[in-house]
Short mmCIF file of all heavy atoms in Angstrom, two decimals:
data_model
loop_
_atom_site.label_atom_id
_atom_site.label_comp_id
_atom_site.label_asym_id
_atom_site.label_seq_id
_atom_site.Cartn_x
_atom_site.Cartn_y
_atom_site.Cartn_z
N LYS S 1 12.60 0.27 -1.55
CA LYS S 1 13.44 -0.08 -2.70
C LYS S 1 13.59 -1.58 -2.75
O LYS S 1 14.18 -2.13 -1.81
CB LYS S 1 14.83 0.58 -2.57
CG LYS S 1 14.72 2.09 -2.64
CD LYS S 1 16.09 2.74 -2.43
CE LYS S 1 15.93 4.25 -2.33
NZ LYS S 1 17.14 4.97 -2.04
N ILE S 2 13.13 -2.17 -3.79
CA ILE S 2 13.22 -3.61 -3.94
C ILE S 2 13.12 -3.94 -5.43
O ILE S 2 12.41 -3.26 -6.16
CB ILE S 2 12.09 -4.36 -3.15
CG1 ILE S 2 12.23 -5.83 -3.23
CG2 ILE S 2 10.74 -3.97 -3.63
CD1 ILE S 2 11.30 -6.62 -2.30
N ASP S 3 13.80 -4.93 -5.86
CA ASP S 3 13.77 -5.41 -7.19
C ASP S 3 12.97 -6.67 -7.22
O ASP S 3 13.45 -7.74 -6.87
CB ASP S 3 15.16 -5.68 -7.77
CG ASP S 3 15.93 -4.40 -8.00
OD1 ASP S 3 15.37 -3.38 -8.38
OD2 ASP S 3 17.21 -4.41 -7.79
N LEU S 4 11.69 -6.58 -7.65
CA LEU S 4 10.86 -7.76 -7.74
C LEU S 4 11.17 -8.47 -9.07
O LEU S 4 11.09 -7.87 -10.08
CB LEU S 4 9.37 -7.38 -7.70
CG LEU S 4 8.76 -6.97 -6.38
CD1 LEU S 4 7.31 -6.52 -6.60
CD2 LEU S 4 8.81 -8.13 -5.43
N THR S 5 11.45 -9.75 -8.94
CA THR S 5 11.60 -10.56 -10.15
C THR S 5 10.22 -10.85 -10.74
O THR S 5 9.22 -10.69 -10.07
CB THR S 5 12.34 -11.87 -9.86
OG1 THR S 5 11.45 -12.68 -9.01
CG2 THR S 5 13.69 -11.65 -9.18
N ASN S 6 10.18 -11.26 -11.99
CA ASN S 6 8.90 -11.65 -12.61
C ASN S 6 8.25 -12.76 -11.79
O ASN S 6 7.02 -12.80 -11.63
CB ASN S 6 9.13 -12.08 -14.04
CG ASN S 6 9.40 -10.92 -14.94
OD1 ASN S 6 9.01 -9.78 -14.64
ND2 ASN S 6 10.00 -11.18 -16.09
N GLU S 7 9.07 -13.71 -11.36
CA GLU S 7 8.51 -14.80 -10.56
C GLU S 7 7.91 -14.31 -9.22
O GLU S 7 6.78 -14.71 -8.84
CB GLU S 7 9.60 -15.84 -10.22
CG GLU S 7 9.17 -17.00 -9.43
CD GLU S 7 10.27 -17.97 -9.04
OE1 GLU S 7 11.42 -17.80 -9.51
OE2 GLU S 7 9.99 -18.92 -8.28
N GLU S 8 8.51 -13.35 -8.51
CA GLU S 8 7.96 -12.81 -7.30
C GLU S 8 6.69 -11.97 -7.57
O GLU S 8 5.69 -12.10 -6.87
CB GLU S 8 9.01 -11.92 -6.63
CG GLU S 8 10.18 -12.74 -6.08
CD GLU S 8 11.39 -11.84 -5.67
OE1 GLU S 8 11.50 -10.74 -6.23
OE2 GLU S 8 12.13 -12.30 -4.78
N HIS S 9 6.72 -11.23 -8.66
CA HIS S 9 5.54 -10.47 -9.04
C HIS S 9 4.37 -11.38 -9.32
O HIS S 9 3.24 -11.18 -8.91
CB HIS S 9 5.88 -9.63 -10.30
CG HIS S 9 4.81 -8.70 -10.72
ND1 HIS S 9 3.76 -9.10 -11.50
CD2 HIS S 9 4.53 -7.40 -10.36
CE1 HIS S 9 2.94 -8.07 -11.71
NE2 HIS S 9 3.40 -7.04 -11.01
N ASN S 10 4.63 -12.47 -10.09
CA ASN S 10 3.55 -13.48 -10.39
C ASN S 10 3.02 -14.13 -9.15
O ASN S 10 1.82 -14.37 -9.05
CB ASN S 10 4.14 -14.51 -11.39
CG ASN S 10 4.31 -13.90 -12.76
OD1 ASN S 10 3.76 -12.85 -13.12
ND2 ASN S 10 5.16 -14.54 -13.54
N LYS S 11 3.93 -14.45 -8.18
CA LYS S 11 3.48 -15.07 -6.91
C LYS S 11 2.57 -14.12 -6.21
O LYS S 11 1.56 -14.52 -5.66
CB LYS S 11 4.69 -15.45 -6.11
CG LYS S 11 5.37 -16.69 -6.48
CD LYS S 11 6.55 -17.05 -5.55
CE LYS S 11 7.29 -18.27 -6.00
NZ LYS S 11 8.36 -18.59 -5.11
N LEU S 12 2.95 -12.85 -6.10
CA LEU S 12 2.15 -11.85 -5.42
C LEU S 12 0.83 -11.69 -6.09
O LEU S 12 -0.21 -11.69 -5.41
CB LEU S 12 2.90 -10.49 -5.47
CG LEU S 12 2.21 -9.31 -4.79
CD1 LEU S 12 1.89 -9.60 -3.35
CD2 LEU S 12 3.04 -8.06 -4.95
N GLU S 13 0.75 -11.66 -7.41
CA GLU S 13 -0.50 -11.56 -8.15
C GLU S 13 -1.34 -12.75 -7.87
O GLU S 13 -2.58 -12.66 -7.68
CB GLU S 13 -0.22 -11.40 -9.61
CG GLU S 13 -1.45 -11.23 -10.47
CD GLU S 13 -1.16 -10.95 -11.94
OE1 GLU S 13 -0.30 -11.62 -12.45
OE2 GLU S 13 -1.81 -10.06 -12.45
N ASN S 14 -0.80 -13.96 -7.85
CA ASN S 14 -1.53 -15.18 -7.59
C ASN S 14 -2.12 -15.21 -6.19
O ASN S 14 -3.25 -15.71 -6.01
CB ASN S 14 -0.66 -16.43 -7.87
CG ASN S 14 -0.42 -16.64 -9.33
OD1 ASN S 14 -1.21 -16.21 -10.21
ND2 ASN S 14 0.66 -17.27 -9.65
N ILE S 15 -1.29 -14.68 -5.23
CA ILE S 15 -1.87 -14.63 -3.85
C ILE S 15 -3.08 -13.67 -3.76
O ILE S 15 -4.08 -13.97 -3.16
CB ILE S 15 -0.76 -14.14 -2.93
CG1 ILE S 15 0.28 -15.27 -2.70
CG2 ILE S 15 -1.33 -13.71 -1.54
CD1 ILE S 15 1.56 -14.84 -2.04
N ILE S 16 -2.96 -12.52 -4.46
CA ILE S 16 -4.07 -11.58 -4.50
C ILE S 16 -5.28 -12.19 -5.13
O ILE S 16 -6.42 -12.06 -4.64
CB ILE S 16 -3.60 -10.24 -5.19
CG1 ILE S 16 -2.57 -9.55 -4.30
CG2 ILE S 16 -4.83 -9.36 -5.41
CD1 ILE S 16 -1.87 -8.40 -4.96
N ILE S 17 -5.10 -12.87 -6.25
CA ILE S 17 -6.20 -13.48 -6.97
C ILE S 17 -6.91 -14.54 -6.07
O ILE S 17 -8.09 -14.58 -6.03
CB ILE S 17 -5.74 -14.09 -8.28
CG1 ILE S 17 -5.38 -12.98 -9.32
CG2 ILE S 17 -6.79 -15.08 -8.92
CD1 ILE S 17 -4.71 -13.49 -10.56
N ARG S 18 -6.08 -15.34 -5.42
CA ARG S 18 -6.62 -16.36 -4.53
C ARG S 18 -7.48 -15.69 -3.38
O ARG S 18 -8.56 -16.17 -3.08
CB ARG S 18 -5.54 -17.20 -3.89
CG ARG S 18 -6.01 -18.40 -3.13
CD ARG S 18 -4.85 -19.29 -2.72
NE ARG S 18 -3.54 -18.76 -3.10
CZ ARG S 18 -2.43 -18.91 -2.43
NH1 ARG S 18 -2.45 -19.59 -1.31
NH2 ARG S 18 -1.32 -18.39 -2.82
N ILE S 19 -6.99 -14.60 -2.86
CA ILE S 19 -7.77 -13.87 -1.82
C ILE S 19 -9.07 -13.40 -2.40
O ILE S 19 -10.18 -13.52 -1.79
CB ILE S 19 -6.95 -12.68 -1.31
CG1 ILE S 19 -5.76 -13.21 -0.43
CG2 ILE S 19 -7.83 -11.75 -0.43
CD1 ILE S 19 -4.71 -12.14 -0.10
N LEU S 20 -9.02 -12.80 -3.62
CA LEU S 20 -10.24 -12.32 -4.24
C LEU S 20 -11.26 -13.39 -4.58
O LEU S 20 -12.43 -13.16 -4.44
CB LEU S 20 -9.89 -11.54 -5.52
CG LEU S 20 -9.14 -10.18 -5.29
CD1 LEU S 20 -8.62 -9.61 -6.57
CD2 LEU S 20 -10.00 -9.21 -4.51
N LYS S 21 -10.75 -14.54 -5.00
CA LYS S 21 -11.67 -15.65 -5.31
C LYS S 21 -12.32 -16.29 -4.09
O LYS S 21 -13.40 -16.80 -4.15
CB LYS S 21 -10.91 -16.71 -6.07
CG LYS S 21 -10.57 -16.37 -7.52
CD LYS S 21 -9.85 -17.54 -8.19
CE LYS S 21 -9.64 -17.26 -9.63
NZ LYS S 21 -8.97 -18.39 -10.31
N ASN S 22 -11.64 -16.17 -2.93
CA ASN S 22 -12.09 -16.82 -1.73
C ASN S 22 -12.85 -15.94 -0.78
O ASN S 22 -13.23 -16.38 0.29
CB ASN S 22 -10.98 -17.52 -1.00
CG ASN S 22 -10.41 -18.68 -1.78
OD1 ASN S 22 -11.17 -19.49 -2.42
ND2 ASN S 22 -9.12 -18.83 -1.86
N ASN S 23 -13.01 -14.66 -1.11
CA ASN S 23 -13.72 -13.74 -0.27
C ASN S 23 -14.68 -12.88 -1.04
O ASN S 23 -14.39 -12.43 -2.14
CB ASN S 23 -12.69 -12.84 0.44
CG ASN S 23 -11.77 -13.60 1.37
OD1 ASN S 23 -12.15 -13.89 2.53
ND2 ASN S 23 -10.61 -13.97 0.89
N ALA S 24 -15.85 -12.70 -0.43
CA ALA S 24 -16.91 -11.92 -1.14
C ALA S 24 -16.52 -10.43 -1.25
O ALA S 24 -16.86 -9.81 -2.27
CB ALA S 24 -18.22 -12.03 -0.33
N ARG S 25 -15.87 -9.89 -0.28
CA ARG S 25 -15.44 -8.50 -0.29
C ARG S 25 -14.12 -8.35 0.38
O ARG S 25 -13.87 -8.92 1.45
CB ARG S 25 -16.52 -7.65 0.49
CG ARG S 25 -16.42 -6.21 0.28
CD ARG S 25 -16.97 -5.76 -1.02
NE ARG S 25 -16.72 -4.35 -1.28
CZ ARG S 25 -16.31 -3.84 -2.43
NH1 ARG S 25 -16.15 -4.60 -3.47
NH2 ARG S 25 -16.07 -2.61 -2.58
N VAL S 26 -13.16 -7.58 -0.21
CA VAL S 26 -11.86 -7.37 0.30
C VAL S 26 -11.50 -5.93 0.31
O VAL S 26 -11.76 -5.19 -0.65
CB VAL S 26 -10.79 -8.21 -0.50
CG1 VAL S 26 -9.44 -8.09 0.14
CG2 VAL S 26 -11.22 -9.65 -0.68
N ARG S 27 -10.87 -5.49 1.36
CA ARG S 27 -10.27 -4.14 1.45
C ARG S 27 -8.77 -4.31 1.52
O ARG S 27 -8.23 -5.00 2.32
CB ARG S 27 -10.67 -3.46 2.76
CG ARG S 27 -12.04 -2.86 2.75
CD ARG S 27 -12.19 -2.08 4.04
NE ARG S 27 -13.49 -1.49 3.96
CZ ARG S 27 -14.12 -0.98 5.00
NH1 ARG S 27 -13.58 -1.07 6.19
NH2 ARG S 27 -15.31 -0.41 4.89
N PHE S 28 -8.12 -3.61 0.55
CA PHE S 28 -6.66 -3.63 0.52
C PHE S 28 -6.14 -2.26 0.96
O PHE S 28 -6.53 -1.23 0.41
CB PHE S 28 -6.08 -3.87 -0.89
CG PHE S 28 -6.40 -5.30 -1.37
CD1 PHE S 28 -7.46 -5.53 -2.21
CD2 PHE S 28 -5.61 -6.37 -0.99
CE1 PHE S 28 -7.70 -6.82 -2.73
CE2 PHE S 28 -5.85 -7.66 -1.44
CZ PHE S 28 -6.89 -7.89 -2.26
N PHE S 29 -5.28 -2.24 1.97
CA PHE S 29 -4.67 -1.04 2.46
C PHE S 29 -3.27 -0.95 1.91
O PHE S 29 -2.48 -1.92 1.98
CB PHE S 29 -4.63 -1.02 3.97
CG PHE S 29 -5.94 -0.79 4.61
CD1 PHE S 29 -6.78 -1.85 4.98
CD2 PHE S 29 -6.43 0.55 4.81
CE1 PHE S 29 -7.98 -1.60 5.59
CE2 PHE S 29 -7.68 0.76 5.38
CZ PHE S 29 -8.49 -0.33 5.77
N LEU S 30 -2.92 0.20 1.29
CA LEU S 30 -1.63 0.43 0.70
C LEU S 30 -1.03 1.72 1.23
O LEU S 30 -1.76 2.67 1.38
CB LEU S 30 -1.71 0.51 -0.83
CG LEU S 30 -2.11 -0.79 -1.48
CD1 LEU S 30 -3.00 -0.49 -2.69
CD2 LEU S 30 -0.91 -1.52 -1.93
N GLY S 31 0.27 1.72 1.43
CA GLY S 31 0.93 2.94 1.86
C GLY S 31 1.23 3.91 0.72
O GLY S 31 1.41 5.12 0.95
N GLY S 32 1.28 3.41 -0.50
CA GLY S 32 1.56 4.31 -1.62
C GLY S 32 2.93 4.90 -1.57
O GLY S 32 3.22 6.00 -2.11
N TYR S 33 3.85 4.21 -0.96
CA TYR S 33 5.23 4.68 -0.80
C TYR S 33 6.17 3.51 -1.10
O TYR S 33 6.20 2.59 -0.33
CB TYR S 33 5.45 5.22 0.62
CG TYR S 33 6.78 5.86 0.84
CD1 TYR S 33 7.04 7.12 0.45
CD2 TYR S 33 7.82 5.08 1.39
CE1 TYR S 33 8.32 7.72 0.65
CE2 TYR S 33 9.06 5.64 1.59
CZ TYR S 33 9.31 6.94 1.23
OH TYR S 33 10.51 7.49 1.44
N GLY S 34 6.92 3.63 -2.12
CA GLY S 34 7.91 2.62 -2.41
C GLY S 34 7.57 1.64 -3.46
O GLY S 34 6.38 1.56 -3.87
N VAL S 35 8.54 0.83 -3.92
CA VAL S 35 8.38 -0.07 -5.04
C VAL S 35 7.34 -1.16 -4.72
O VAL S 35 6.51 -1.47 -5.56
CB VAL S 35 9.74 -0.65 -5.43
CG1 VAL S 35 9.62 -1.70 -6.48
CG2 VAL S 35 10.70 0.45 -5.82
N PHE S 36 7.40 -1.76 -3.55
CA PHE S 36 6.48 -2.81 -3.20
C PHE S 36 5.01 -2.36 -3.25
O PHE S 36 4.16 -2.99 -3.81
CB PHE S 36 6.82 -3.47 -1.88
CG PHE S 36 5.98 -4.66 -1.54
CD1 PHE S 36 6.10 -5.87 -2.16
CD2 PHE S 36 4.94 -4.51 -0.58
CE1 PHE S 36 5.31 -6.96 -1.86
CE2 PHE S 36 4.11 -5.62 -0.27
CZ PHE S 36 4.31 -6.81 -0.92
#
């Protein structure tokens, strides 16, 4: 349970984009449980 602000959501998205741009292949592991 977490309330992500738009700013926090955008920061998270930018971090993910930076990872994708700087790596040829990426595996993301997610728990699929909860807001985050």
Side-chain angles (χ1 to χ4, degrees):
K1 297 177 184 174
I2 186 172
D3 291 323
L4 284 176
T5 65
N6 286 339
E7 181 182 354
E8 291 166 335
H9 185 275
N10 291 339
K11 282 183 183 180
L12 179 59
E13 184 175 43
N14 288 333
I15 290 169
I16 293 171
I17 289 170
R18 190 170 2 146
I19 290 168
L20 292 171
K21 285 182 176 180
N22 292 318
N23 294 279
R25 193 79 186 136
V26 184
R27 281 186 175 162
F28 291 101
F29 287 93
L30 294 143
Y33 183 84
V35 176
F36 183 75

